[in-house]
Amino acid sequence: MASNNRYNRQIILPEIGESGQQKLNASKVLVIGAGGLGCPVLQYLAAAGIGTIGIIDFDLVDTSNLHRQILYGDSVVGKNKALAAKSRLEDLNPIININAYPEKLTTENAISLFSQYDIIVDGSDNFSTRYLVNDACVITGKPLVYGAIFKYEGQVSVFNYKNGPTYRCLFPEPPKSGSVPSCAEIGVLGVLPGVIGSMQANEVLKIVLNLDHVLNGKLLMYDCLTTQSSTFSIPRVASEISKVLTLAQDFETVDYNLFCGIQKIKEISPETAFQVVNEAQFIDVREVHEQPKINSLKPVCISLDDLQKQINNLDKEKETIVFCQSGIRSKKAVEILQNHGFNNVSHIKKGALAIAEYQTLKEV
């Protein structure tokens, strides 16, 4: 009775009914990334009664996320996103199962993880993950609900569904590394991922309920400034699908960063950083309020959100070492710097917390 009350407004829809709600309760959906897109996807899937929801994300909640990642608040800043999302969603709907995977999606864990779910939703924010997710979906035979955002524009589609096209049919090759700025570099209107994520959730529900008009073989593009949308057909390219299937046997060894032209990120220890304290330029990409302060490295303090704006004030020729609170934002900062011609750049493993611990041990 309680569950009927919870879902009553959608059960009374003739296209859903009790049988449709049972389909929702029996379905299993995995969401890749609990960020700007993942948050609204997760919120609406949980509210609709998707029986089992998986969340995989290794990132931590940051203050700069809060204007668009609406599952989180100040109380969970610094916590893993998958775990924080699970806690919030269990309060939203305590009668469904939510599995949190506070880890990075890799070629080593993707196949076994995808095999446990019916539908995969891509809420990632980089091309290497998108190709990885697509290929793992093709190999495991799972439909993929895709979404992407850029400034004021968003895209939604459904790939690998009922013998339809895949992500590689739309984008056979990744863009040149650095040619498409990230949200951290270019910005994004906070409501846009809410709109696109809600559309992704809508596609998931249509697939589960076997409703018509799924965005299979179609790319929907939405502009939140003009409030206009357009839809384009995506052809199925058999050669691209065959290309993925040939990867199946050696999937775990595929380097998607290399495929997308992403340079490897050099990681150093606090000890190594202090050895070059007088030669290198250090950049602290944390927000101004974050502690502990690391004055001993004499860093330039530029938040990750402002790095793109102030990048011309930095010396490209000098060894550059970046750090943040835990080592996640600093990796993103390194990518931004590399894309702007910084060749000798690295980040400090585990960030300011590890630096403070090293300094404490050194003083003892």
Side-chain angles (χ1 to χ4, degrees):
M1 184 65 177
S3 62
N4 280 354
N5 287 338
R6 177 180 291 274
Y7 306 124
N8 179 62
R9 296 300 187 275
Q10 62 191 33
I11 288 177
I12 61 176
L13 290 168
E15 296 84 358
I16 299 180
E18 292 283 358
S19 61
Q21 190 60 52
Q22 289 172 4
K23 290 179 182 178
L24 295 173
N25 296 152
S27 63
K28 299 178 180 180
V29 179
L30 176 66
V31 179
I32 313 299
L37 294 173
C39 280
V41 170
L42 290 164
Q43 192 167 26
Y44 280 107
L45 294 186
I50 293 294
T52 301
I53 297 175
I55 314 165
I56 180 166
D57 199 319
F58 71 99
D59 203 358
L60 306 180
V61 179
D62 185 78
T63 305
S64 65
N65 301 147
L66 300 182
H67 93 292
R68 65 195 182 283
Q69 299 181 18
I70 42 75
L71 282 180
Y72 313 124
D74 281 334
S75 63
V76 295
V77 167
K79 295 184 179 180
N80 172 265
K81 288 182 180 179
L83 296 175
K86 173 181 168 69
S87 178
R88 171 68 185 95
L89 295 171
E90 286 177 337
D91 180 56
L92 175 63
N93 191 345
I95 61 175
I96 62 173
N97 300 313
I98 300 174
N99 303 320
Y101 306 97
E103 59 194 79
K104 187 173 184 177
L105 183 72
T106 67
T107 54
E108 286 81 14
N109 61 19
I111 300 301
S112 61
L113 192 57
F114 285 24
S115 298
Q116 302 172 43
Y117 292 87
D118 306 316
I119 300 170
I120 311 300
V121 182
D122 186 3
S124 64
D125 60 358
N126 62 84
F127 289 100
S128 58
T129 302
R130 288 171 187 158
Y131 281 99
L132 189 162
V133 170
N134 173 80
D135 294 357
C137 282
V138 173
I139 292 168
T140 56
K142 306 295 180 177
L144 168 60
V145 179
Y146 158 80
I149 54 175
F150 182 78
K151 294 179 71 175
Y152 302 103
E153 299 177 357
Q155 302 176 349
V156 185
S157 188
V158 174
F159 296 117
N160 204 40
Y161 179 63
K162 292 187 176 180
N163 206 36
T166 73
Y167 180 76
R168 283 183 182 262
C169 297
L170 178 62
F171 299 113
E173 298 292 336
K176 184 179 178 181
S177 180
S179 63
V180 181
S182 67
C183 289
E185 297 175 83
I186 203 71
V188 62
L189 188 65
V191 299
L192 177 62
V195 174
I196 300 302
S198 297
M199 290 181 177
Q200 287 181 275
N202 187 48
E203 293 305 306
V204 172
L205 298 182
K206 287 193 291 183
I207 293 170
V208 174
L209 295 168
N210 199 29
L211 299 179
D212 295 331
H213 310 299
V214 172
L215 285 171
N216 179 29
K218 298 177 182 178
L219 179 70
L220 185 150
M221 301 186 69
Y222 173 76
D223 187 321
C224 67
L225 282 185
T226 63
T227 323
Q228 292 183 331
S229 62
S230 52
T231 305
F232 303 90
S233 295
I234 305 171
R236 184 180 188 275
V237 183
S239 60
E240 290 298 326
I241 297 171
S242 298
K243 186 187 298 182
V244 175
L245 293 175
T246 60
L247 296 174
Q249 189 171 355
D250 301 312
F251 180 73
E252 290 190 4
T253 65
V254 178
D255 188 335
Y256 283 90
N257 284 335
L258 180 63
F259 172 69
C260 292
I262 298 173
Q263 302 178 53
K264 288 188 176 180
I265 295 175
K266 182 181 177 182
E267 190 172 70
I268 65 172
S269 67
E271 181 180 7
T272 301
F274 276 99
Q275 290 173 359
V276 294
V277 67
N278 295 320
E279 290 81 34
Q281 65 179 344
F282 288 84
I283 306 174
D284 182 348
V285 294
R286 297 178 297 167
E287 301 294 323
V288 293
H289 65 272
E290 292 184 77
Q291 301 290 333
K293 297 300 180 187
I294 312 294
N295 298 323
S296 53
L297 291 177
K298 302 175 185 177
V300 178
C301 296
I302 307 174
S303 71
L304 182 62
D305 287 344
D306 291 334
L307 183 59
Q308 174 79 11
K309 303 172 190 174
Q310 300 188 38
I311 207 161
N312 290 331
N313 297 327
L314 301 170
D315 188 349
K316 287 185 180 180
E317 304 305 319
K318 202 168 187 179
E319 179 180 0
T320 302
I321 300 175
V322 188
F323 66 89
C324 63
Q325 191 73 353
S326 63
I328 293 177
R329 280 171 288 172
S330 58
K331 287 184 179 180
K332 297 177 182 177
V334 169
E335 290 179 2
I336 293 172
L337 291 168
Q338 288 176 334
N339 290 338
H340 285 80
F342 287 72
N343 296 318
N344 189 7
V345 58
S346 59
H347 86 114
I348 299 177
K349 184 178 181 180
K350 298 185 179 178
L353 298 177
I355 298 170
E357 182 180 357
Y358 169 76
Q359 287 180 297
T360 301
L361 292 173
K362 191 176 179 182
E363 292 170 359
V364 173

